[in-house]
Amino acid sequence: TLRMLVPVLLVLSFCLRGRAGLAPHFLQQPEDQVVLLGDEARLPCALGAYRGLVQWTKDGLALGGERDLPGWSRYWISGNAASGQHDLHIRPVELEDQASYECQATQAGLRSRPARLHVLVPPEPPQVLGGPSVSLVAGVPANLTCRSRGDAHPTPELLWFRDGVRLDGAIFRQTPLKEGTIGSVESILSLTPSSHDDGATLVCRARSQALPAGKDTAVTLSLQYPPVVTLSAEPQTVQEGEKVTFLCQATAQPPVTGYRWAKGGSPVLGARGPMLEIVADASFLTAPVSCEVSNAVGSANRSTALDVQFGPILQAKPKPLSVDVGEDASFSCVWRGNPLPRVTWTRRRDAQVLASGPTLRLPAVGPEDAGDYVCRAEPGLSGQGGGAAEARLTVNAPPVVTALHSAPAFLRGPARLQCLVFASPAPEAVVWSWDEGFLTAGSRGRFLVENFPAPEGLGGQGPGLISVLHISGTQESDFHRGFNCTARNRLGEGGTQVSLGRRDLLPTVRIVAGVAAVATTLLMIITGVALCCWRHGRASASFSKQKNLVRIPGSNDGSSSRGPEEETGSSKDQGPIVHTDHSDLVLDEEGALETKDPTNGYYKVRGVSPPTSPDSCVISLPLKSLGIFN
């Protein structure tokens, strides 16, 4: 009941005073404040028309009515109490001073509005894990962690900067203590460094309301990175067969440990170090040279292709074609060169250019288009390369049949008739026909057919077929009829007529008659000589036995015309003399002597005898002049 009376008494007192004069009131009330840890806080409070007790409360707890506030060493009340000034001071402000404060006029029952005191705790300089120099590997993702510890209030934010530019993408994380207060905060920056980041400086800044400028911690990036390679060639444009020098330069951390050279993916044996000298050829245009440089972190590769100039090289030959008559034909061939070669098309043994470029098109071909076509490339600027390649065009058409020369035949003798067949596709059959029949192969009666390939190039139309019709025992009718040679394939047929020529016996009869006439003439001459010699031989029957001299001229046939005085000359001018007896003379049935020639007439034999009368029969018959022994 006493407690209930006290407020009533206070109200009555206030009413009585109000009637007597001005009522107590606040001239100044405290307001919310923000103060840094360690600074001084001042909460103002001023009352008018009040001379009683004034006290401050902290979160509802009375601090006391004395001006020095015993028990609160850092707290005191200042101002002229007579004038109603009652300011609360706190110095130095600590984190525990953060609370709600009221100024109360106890005897007048007045309470100020609550004033909130916010104590700001600046953050400590942050810590970057692994700092002040962090070792990273270029190209490998990494995380940098910045952490702020302590009782900073409010919780600071952690920011990342590089060269004064804020970096985005960091992850912010808070770690609470067991009591629920913030123990630490950290920021994780994810990055994938490159070799260009080596030596770069990153800054982590802890910033809050208590310290708007923030506190910084710097960290330096020390990058380990695989080699960064540059590859050059000197000269870059080169003729085939010339030397080229490749230079492979690299920067790396840690230093380079090795070089490896390759061409077109295949290692260049024996190549070591940053320089390679090699002779260029056409393959370097499409097979680049590469240099691989290694260190402890990894390796890097660079390649370059040379501009190698070389003469034309045939890469794809034209292929033979077989098309039906009236269809289109197309040849193609591929030449490789640098610069690109000029390609022309001609027919074999013909200088006329049909087309330029890798393709030759022949529309609606006919049999006359069949043959060999040449794809030609001129040599390059260096005079090397170039050449020609051929392909044959076969035009499928009905067979073309041509009669070949056949030798004349004797009546009732053998005969041979021939025809030449060109056909693509190959003929299905070759038929010989005449009045009473036909034959494709084998024999029939007096007739026999043989087929065999024609010699290459015969007729200028490529491979052909020769068909031969053999006739045994020709008859009179064979010379007056026509023999047909016909061939057919899937596109049609063709044929020709072959006639058999006759060979007479007249030339042979004339030869035999001539030989007989010559033989008769010789027989008559020999008979006349024999009769003449027999008549004059009888007049010499009394010839006594004596040795006869037979002279055989050595080398001059004209010795037979010498006179008797020449024959008795010195042995130096005449041939040797052979002595004979009577056994060399033969006596015929009439008693006449006949000289026997031991050489059978090859040499002229003259017997030495007494001179004969002028009318004696002396006949000189040079047998060799008749040609018998020629």
Side-chain angles (χ1 to χ4, degrees):
T1 57
L2 182 62
R3 290 181 179 179
M4 297 178 61
L5 292 174
V6 172
V8 172
L9 292 176
L10 289 175
V11 171
L12 291 175
S13 177
F14 176 77
C15 292
L16 292 174
R17 287 181 181 180
R19 291 177 181 178
L22 186 64
H25 60 278
F26 280 102
L27 298 176
Q28 186 179 11
Q29 297 187 51
E31 296 179 353
D32 293 345
Q33 285 191 25
V34 176
V35 63
L36 289 175
L37 181 70
D39 289 351
E40 180 180 341
R42 175 179 170 272
L43 298 174
C45 180
L47 292 169
Y50 181 74
R51 297 293 184 269
L53 178 65
V54 176
Q55 69 174 2
W56 285 87
T57 63
K58 176 184 178 183
D59 289 336
L61 177 64
L63 298 178
E66 291 83 359
R67 305 293 284 184
D68 57 355
L69 297 178
W72 302 88
S73 60
R74 295 179 294 108
Y75 290 56
W76 74 93
I77 298 174
S78 66
N80 189 348
S83 62
Q85 194 71 36
H86 307 277
D87 298 338
L88 176 63
H89 291 262
I90 305 174
R91 188 179 65 184
V93 173
E94 295 182 0
L95 188 60
E96 62 184 23
D97 298 329
Q98 183 171 277
S100 178
Y101 294 86
E102 289 183 2
C103 179
Q104 296 177 355
T106 306
Q107 296 173 352
L110 295 178
R111 301 175 60 182
S112 70
R113 59 175 174 268
R116 186 75 181 174
L117 180 63
H118 297 277
V119 179
L120 301 181
V121 181
E124 298 294 330
Q127 177 188 9
V128 178
L129 302 184
S133 179
V134 178
S135 180
L136 303 177
V137 177
V140 178
N143 294 329
L144 294 180
T145 301
C146 178
R147 183 174 295 167
S148 177
R149 295 181 179 272
D151 298 325
H153 184 79
T155 302
E157 62 176 341
L158 301 177
L159 306 176
W160 289 94
F161 294 87
R162 177 176 180 174
D163 298 332
V165 179
R166 181 176 173 178
L167 302 178
D168 297 326
I171 300 175
F172 185 78
R173 187 168 59 191
Q174 297 180 349
T175 303
L177 295 176
K178 292 181 179 179
E179 293 80 6
T181 60
I182 300 302
S184 67
V185 293
E186 63 183 20
S187 177
I188 300 174
L189 177 66
S190 298
L191 74 162
T192 302
S194 68
S195 60
H196 302 291
D197 297 324
D198 187 33
T201 299
L202 300 183
V203 173
C204 179
R205 178 175 297 168
R207 186 179 69 178
S208 70
Q209 185 181 359
L211 189 64
K215 290 186 177 180
D216 296 343
T217 298
V219 63
T220 301
L221 301 184
S222 176
L223 264 294
Q224 290 187 346
Y225 52 92
V228 179
V229 183
T230 58
L231 180 61
S232 61
E234 183 62 35
Q236 188 69 36
T237 300
V238 62
Q239 293 287 337
E240 185 177 19
E242 293 182 351
K243 284 188 177 180
V244 181
T245 300
F246 294 90
L247 182 61
C248 185
Q249 297 176 307
T251 57
Q253 182 63 36
V256 172
T257 57
Y259 294 85
R260 191 175 76 93
W261 292 90
K263 173 179 172 287
S266 300
V268 179
L269 300 180
R272 296 180 178 87
M275 184 178 294
L276 172 65
E277 188 174 81
I278 198 167
V279 177
D281 57 33
S283 63
F284 282 81
L285 192 64
T286 54
V289 172
S290 61
C291 173
E292 183 180 86
V293 186
S294 304
N295 69 352
V297 176
S299 61
N301 188 298
R302 288 293 180 272
S303 62
T304 183
L306 288 178
D307 182 17
V308 182
Q309 296 186 348
F310 57 94
I313 300 174
L314 181 62
Q315 286 191 309
K317 296 181 179 179
K319 297 180 180 180
L321 293 178
S322 177
V323 298
D324 291 348
V325 63
E327 294 182 351
D328 296 342
S330 179
F331 290 101
S332 63
C333 71
V334 179
W335 291 87
R336 176 170 165 260
N338 186 29
L340 291 175
R342 179 176 180 268
V343 180
T344 58
W345 292 87
T346 61
R347 291 195 70 163
R348 189 177 183 184
R349 299 188 182 93
D350 190 350
Q352 182 181 359
V353 176
L354 302 177
S356 297
T359 303
L360 171 65
R361 291 182 175 84
L362 302 173
V365 298
E368 68 279 1
D369 296 317
D372 295 323
Y373 289 83
V374 181
C375 170
R376 179 175 286 102
E378 299 300 327
L381 297 177
S382 61
Q384 299 179 348
E390 294 185 3
R392 174 163 295 181
L393 173 62
T394 301
V395 179
N396 300 323
V400 177
V401 183
T402 306
L404 296 179
H405 173 72
S406 300
F410 293 110
L411 182 63
R412 288 182 292 277
R416 175 188 175 100
L417 300 178
Q418 302 178 103
C419 68
L420 177 62
V421 179
F422 289 106
S424 178
E428 300 167 1
V430 179
V431 181
W432 284 91
S433 61
W434 54 93
D435 294 342
E436 63 269 18
F438 65 91
L439 187 61
T440 58
S443 61
R444 178 183 177 185
R446 298 181 298 115
F447 301 96
L448 170 67
V449 172
E450 288 182 323
N451 297 319
F452 53 90
E456 180 70 20
L458 183 61
Q461 301 183 38
L465 177 72
I466 294 179
S467 183
V468 182
L469 175 64
H470 296 275
I471 306 175
S472 61
T474 58
Q475 298 176 359
E476 186 68 32
S477 59
D478 295 335
F479 300 102
H480 303 291
R481 74 176 77 187
F483 292 88
N484 296 314
C485 177
T486 306
R488 67 173 178 272
N489 61 11
R490 63 178 177 82
L491 297 175
E493 68 176 30
T496 188
Q497 189 176 79
V498 184
S499 298
L500 178 60
R502 183 168 181 171
R503 186 176 182 183
D504 295 330
L505 295 176
L506 182 59
T508 304
V509 174
R510 289 179 178 176
I511 293 173
V512 174
V515 173
V518 173
T520 302
T521 303
L522 288 176
L523 181 60
M524 292 176 64
I525 293 173
I526 293 172
T527 302
V529 171
L531 290 175
C532 182
C533 291
W534 173 76
R535 187 184 61 179
H536 291 282
R538 294 182 61 186
S540 304
S542 60
F543 182 71
S544 62
K545 289 184 179 181
Q546 58 179 353
K547 291 183 178 180
N548 292 302
L549 299 179
V550 178
R551 187 177 307 279
I552 302 174
S555 60
N556 190 351
D557 290 338
S559 61
S560 61
S561 61
R562 296 175 180 175
E565 67 279 2
E566 294 177 345
E567 294 178 351
T568 59
S570 65
S571 62
K572 182 170 65 174
D573 299 329
Q574 299 175 0
I577 299 175
V578 181
H579 293 270
T580 66
D581 55 16
H582 293 291
S583 62
D584 294 333
L585 301 177
V586 180
L587 183 64
D588 60 10
E589 59 182 359
E590 299 295 333
L593 292 177
E594 182 178 359
T595 303
K596 183 179 179 181
D597 184 3
T599 64
N600 292 324
Y602 188 81
Y603 295 99
K604 298 175 184 178
V605 180
R606 178 180 296 115
V608 179
S609 59
T612 58
S613 59
D615 56 344
S616 63
C617 176
V618 180
I619 299 175
S620 177
L621 183 61
L623 297 179
K624 292 182 68 175
S625 64
L626 295 176
I628 298 176
F629 299 100
N630 287 341

